[in-house]
Every structure is written in C-alpha cells, then in structure tokens.
Amino acid sequence: LQKGLAEMLITDLSQVKNLKVVERLRLNYIMKELKLSTTGLVDEKTAPRLGKLMGARTLIKGSYMVMPGPKITMNAGIYEIGMPFSPTTANFEGTLTRLFRMEKELVLRVIDYFEIRLTPQERERILRIPTQNMMAFMDYCRGLDAMDHADFSKAQSYFEKAVKIDPKFGLAKNHLTVPKIWEATHNSN
C-alpha cells in the first residue's frame, strides 16, 4: 500500500498547476543516495538535507496502519524546510473500503494548507477515483515495488494483472509501458 498511496498522492497533487511535485522515482533515488529508509525519511536532522537535495520547500510524509475490522488510519505530516521542525499534521480514520476517499481528503487538506484555489477541472481530476477494486490496486502496488527493485518483467506482470481485474484502471495502464522504458534505460547504463 505504501508505494501505491504515495503514487496516488503524487499523481493527484501533480494535477495542481500551482504546485511542483517531486516524482516518486526521483524521491526513491535521492533516498538511496542519502541512505535513508522510508521509516526514517523525515526527522529533524534529515528533513533540511532531503528538502535541499530535492529543491523542495515543503515535504509531506505519510503513514498508515491497517487494523482489524478492516480499518485503516492514515496520517500525514507537512514539514516546511528551513523552519523549526514542527509538522502540520492531518489524520484520517475509516474502513479499508474508504481508502481512496481518505486519500482524496488528504490531498484536499494539503491543498488547503497551501491556500490554493483549485479550478473546477483540477478538482474534478483530483477527485477521480482510479479504481474501486482493492485487488487491482494491490497488484498495482506490487508492480510499483517490483519496478523500484528493477524487476521489470515482474512489474509488467503485476500491472497487466491490475488492468485485467479493472480494465478502466488508468494508473495501472499508464505503467504498462514504464517498466519497458526503465528496463531499456537501466540496461544501457
């Protein structure tokens, strides 16, 4: 879920013309360079360095916990680079079936934090739910993970499974060609 939720958040925030969002793959590369794990990504010591390397003024770090029920809690911290380390936080709790709605609520909360007025078209694109099928989403998440580990054939397989389960799942469709591009780039370096 971690990579899929991050990708959805980045995709949604990228719909806002007044925001410049760092892509997940670039963030992964920078984290590897800094030898940071995802669990210790943002703290008082690493936030300024990470922000400076990315050219970012603000970092958003999220976490989630799946509990019996099945319930999920999502938390996000918004960190201003160069300011005292005191994140603005947002917390959401609900059933796993509300996962995609909760992600949209989080995106809107981040946009409110920046005091950005969305155009009707931006709001419509952001509120679009990519899939209603949790199995398709999980295969998509597995595909992202495989891609991050340079296992491009496995990533391709997971993205294909996701699209087979939900043929309207645009995020998964968009990634069907990405592993091939990354594999060609990875093998040429």
Side-chain angles (χ1 to χ4, degrees):
L1 282 178
Q2 175 187 1
K3 292 180 183 194
L5 286 171
E7 185 77 4
M8 282 177 46
L9 185 69
I10 289 168
T11 299
D12 287 343
L13 289 173
S14 296
Q15 302 299 319
V16 182
K17 68 179 178 187
N18 292 332
L19 288 177
K20 183 176 180 184
V21 181
V22 175
E23 295 174 2
R24 190 183 60 79
L25 293 172
R26 181 170 174 222
L27 178 60
N28 285 347
Y29 175 78
I30 292 169
M31 286 172 47
K32 284 179 187 175
E33 288 293 308
L34 290 175
K35 296 179 175 54
L36 294 173
S37 71
T38 54
T39 57
L41 174 61
V42 179
D43 64 25
E44 194 167 354
K45 294 176 185 172
T46 60
R49 192 166 152 213
L50 182 61
K52 188 174 181 180
L53 279 172
M54 290 189 309
R57 292 187 312 223
T58 308
L59 295 176
I60 301 170
K61 179 188 180 196
S63 64
Y64 68 91
M65 184 169 35
V66 178
M67 301 169 289
K71 292 185 179 193
I72 187 165
T73 300
M74 291 173 54
N75 302 299
I78 302 172
Y79 304 83
E80 293 291 336
I81 304 302
M83 301 294 284
F85 194 77
S86 178
T88 300
T89 59
N91 302 304
F92 300 92
E93 200 171 297
T95 62
L96 206 48
T97 57
R98 281 200 67 242
L99 176 71
F100 303 121
R101 275 282 147 227
M102 291 168 53
E103 183 271 339
K104 302 302 179 187
E105 291 169 16
L106 175 58
V107 169
L108 293 176
R109 180 83 56 93
V110 169
I111 292 166
D112 284 346
Y113 172 83
F114 290 113
E115 298 178 351
I116 295 173
R117 288 187 61 141
L118 295 174
T119 66
Q121 296 83 5
E122 288 171 331
R123 180 173 292 281
E124 181 183 324
R125 285 191 303 265
I126 288 168
L127 292 177
R128 203 172 291 146
I129 304 287
T131 183
Q132 294 290 339
N133 190 301
M134 189 56 84
M135 295 308 295
F137 183 67
M138 291 307 297
D139 280 330
Y140 171 73
C141 295
R142 291 179 186 106
L144 293 174
D145 188 55
M147 199 167 72
D148 288 350
H149 288 93
D151 191 342
F152 303 109
S153 61
K154 192 179 209 178
Q156 184 80 16
S157 174
Y158 280 124
F159 294 137
E160 287 171 355
K161 282 183 186 178
V163 171
K164 186 175 182 179
I165 294 169
D166 181 356
K168 295 180 181 179
F169 190 2
L171 285 175
K173 281 183 182 180
N174 293 344
H175 278 78
L176 283 175
T177 57
V178 172
K180 292 177 185 176
I181 294 167
W182 276 94
E183 185 171 22
T185 305
H186 182 74
N187 290 337
S188 67
N189 290 335

